[in-house]
Amino acid sequence: MASEEELFASVDALLEEEPQLPPPAERARLREAAGITQARLAVALKTSTQTVKNYENGRSEPKSPRLEAYQRLLKGWAAKYPAHGVPTAPAPAVAPQPAVRATFTGPATRAPETGAVAPGQAPTAAAAPEQSAARPASSRRPAAKKATAPALDPRFPHGPLAVLDGDGSAYGVDGIVLDCPATTVVELVEWTLRESGLGAAKLNRYGKDSDPLIVLTAAAAVTFGLPERLEGHEQRRSLRLPEDHPVVKQVVRAKWQLTQRGFGPWARIYRKAQGGERQCVQLAILSWDALDERAWPGVTDMEPADIAQVLGVYAQRVITPRGSTAVSGLELMTALRPSTRAVRDEATGNWVSGHNPGSLGTEPMDPAPPEATAEHPVVVDSGWAGGFLNEEAYQWVRSVDLLTDEECTLPFAVGLDLNTAFLAAAARLVVGLSEPVHFMNPPFNPKVPGSWLADLSHVELDPRLPSPFTPTGERPTDPAWYQTHTVAYAQELGYNVAPIEAYLRQATGAYLDPWHDRLKTAYVDTLADLGVTKDLDDRQFLAAMEQHKQVDPAMAAVLTAIKATVKGGVGKLRERPQGKSYKEGERWPALQRPTWRPDIRAAVISKARVNMHRKLRNMATMTGLYPLAVLSDCVVYPSPGRSPLGFLPYAASGKPQPGGFRLGPTPGLAKLEGVQSMLWAVDLMEQGLNPARHIKGGDAVLDEGE
């Protein structure tokens, strides 16, 4: 019989064990029985929604002190909501097993005896079993997902990307962690292509698979012989390592190549494709500012597993990041509308590469002179002096002389912001696909995209509204170049337009449609993950938007990145030359892209500005209210209360009136941007400043992605 001392020792050992949780399925059942969403539970536990999902599917376990709080909550729910509706004894506690780090199931380069896996082939459990020497999960490492878990594309079982830390842990999406044995950049590239199982399938049947992305933490960068930060004036200015850097020389010696951007924050390392198999890996170096804080707020400071989840969600909903969000936005256009497709050569019967209808083709296209920038060769070489398109977003402030006494006595100025206004404008937008053709005195046709020289100075509108024809909102005084949507709006207002000259494109198409559809779905789905769904009424919508960023900071960062992708992608359509050494009239690298299309950028912005003016005009008709200021997609109105519900137009049924500003989570609908006092707004207006820029309480600087 055991002695008292032995029994006490056994009991003390139990007391010292960590609190035990019910099985993952029971955790989910208890939460659902209590009517609590995963997002709300995440707020209570001060963590992310994805982490709660991981708790409930067994991919990770909470650590102290969150473990004790979670256990207390589950015990309380278990008492209230016993299984099968009857009180039962607590389920036997399941002792937590050490979390096994998921490792690549194919062979490591240093262990060829485990068998080889062909590049691009999905690894299998038979090819190489999981390693038995597993390390326990630390507080920053989620429990591993089985390496042999089914994937949407068997060629890429581990998702599109991984974040590599200094200890060789490569964190992927959904909590997966791979062991990376590489000690040099060349080994890393080869491991990624041959063994990692990383990559993403093409977005269009005629497109290309996305190259795998490896994101390096500062510790990982140092491990591979890279500087923690770009050092020296020349490196910081050029944003790349010099060609004589040891790592660059190592890459070249191994017969790998770097793109013209060199080894910078976003480095692409490749060899020419063999047998149709791409050999390209992209590296992003966090400590070299690969992730712009404006587009990815707070992401660089997250733990590697959380960075992987943020970038992974973006990759799955938008595209595997290819550089800045602006670059990714442009690359998404091409990924969804590839330039070529396979066509049969009638002469030989063979399949060859041919033009893909609806795309921008493979060759760059020069713009018409008025669509170009002043430094462009078509302007400099021709001596063009006929003026340029000025299709930009609004930056307008109403004159204080036009404020009424009634407006000045209202207590508040309320800012409304249109969700992704440029994205909404891209919907069903017909743009030119062929070269511009010059016409003199053409009849205006609102269905033909192009640039028109017209005199719209005779269009007389209420001075309390901005002119729809200029970004400053001032009434034009002379003939000027306008995009089709701007001239069509003058015609919509009932005025005659007689173009003097035009550059028009006869082959047309809705080039941006798939881009719009994918980004709209990504935006709406990400907002829904943050608790802002389409089924909310306007009051609920405003309440949800007020705290959506606190629900899940990681998903909030994804949302910001999606918005930056929209604006940046549109801005990249007219990328200007960079660098002090550039001379006017020279061709700069961006001009070699078929997607250097300033006319498409002008069409998006023109339509967005016209859409804004149409809403402003309808608001004045329905409510008698006029804006104080407009900045791009933000408009400020005088208001009797702090909420836009006090001045937005509603029908007797309580439904929003069509035509004006409406609240909601989809592109083109509005959300609350900020509230200040009316005295504050008038004071800024008297100083010539724009209240819409500051209504949020900070400096919401206009950013068109250039």
Side-chain angles (χ1 to χ4, degrees), residues 368 370-371 389 449-453 481-484 501-505 599:
E371 297 166 347
L389 278 176
S451 303
W452 309 77
L453 179 63
W481 288 95
Y482 301 102
Q483 201 276 334
T484 297
E501 195 176 346
Y503 285 89
L504 308 178
R505 288 172 167 80
D599 57 301

Side-chain angles (χ1 to χ4, degrees), residues 57-126:
N57 58 30
R59 286 180 180 150
S60 67
E61 297 289 333
K63 300 296 179 182
S64 184
R66 189 172 287 117
L67 172 61
E68 290 79 8
Y70 191 30
Q71 183 197 41
R72 181 179 181 183
L73 179 63
L74 292 174
K75 280 185 175 179
W77 282 343
K80 285 185 178 182
Y81 313 106
H84 310 301
V86 294
T88 59
V94 178
Q97 301 299 314
V100 180
R101 289 184 57 205
T103 56
F104 172 62
T105 56
T109 54
R110 297 180 179 179
E113 65 272 15
T114 58
V117 176
Q121 177 182 336
T124 64

Side-chain angles (χ1 to χ4, degrees), residues 18-21 27 44-47 51-52 54-55 58-72 95-101 135-144 303:
E18 288 188 351
Q20 307 302 311
L21 297 173
R27 303 170 199 174
L45 294 178
K46 301 293 189 288
T47 187
T51 299
V52 171
N54 290 343
Y55 294 165
R59 286 180 180 150
S60 67
E61 297 289 333
K63 300 296 179 182
S64 184
R66 189 172 287 117
L67 172 61
E68 290 79 8
Y70 191 30
Q71 183 197 41
R72 181 179 181 183
Q97 301 299 314
V100 180
R101 289 184 57 205
R135 287 181 281 172
S138 71
S139 59
R140 64 181 176 84
R141 179 177 292 120
E303 295 293 347

Side-chain angles (χ1 to χ4, degrees), residues 153-276:
D153 190 317
R155 297 172 302 155
F156 311 118
H158 299 145
L161 55 87
V163 179
L164 184 60
D165 209 353
D167 63 356
S169 302
Y171 297 85
V173 298
D174 295 330
I176 192 170
V177 187
L178 310 174
D179 269 329
C180 176
T183 57
T184 67
V185 167
V186 170
E187 289 179 359
L188 174 61
V189 170
E190 293 174 349
W191 172 83
T192 303
L193 290 174
R194 298 174 185 173
E195 306 175 21
S196 69
L198 296 172
K202 55 193 175 185
L203 298 180
N204 181 285
R205 61 182 295 194
Y206 301 124
K208 300 174 182 177
D209 295 331
S210 287
D211 298 319
L213 168 63
I214 300 292
V215 181
L216 302 180
T217 64
V222 172
T223 298
F224 290 114
L226 298 168
E228 183 173 340
R229 292 196 171 275
L230 289 177
E231 300 166 351
H233 172 73
E234 185 62 27
Q235 289 184 28
R236 288 197 302 271
R237 189 180 66 81
S238 64
L239 293 178
R240 68 181 68 183
L241 292 179
E243 292 183 3
D244 61 354
H245 190 279
V247 171
V248 176
K249 293 165 71 175
Q250 172 198 112
V251 169
V252 174
R253 278 198 305 269
K255 308 300 182 185
W256 290 96
Q257 299 180 57
L258 292 163
T259 60
Q260 289 184 347
R261 287 186 295 179
F263 206 120
W266 291 88
R268 297 186 68 77
I269 303 175
Y270 71 98
R271 283 179 181 152
K272 289 186 177 180
Q274 295 180 352

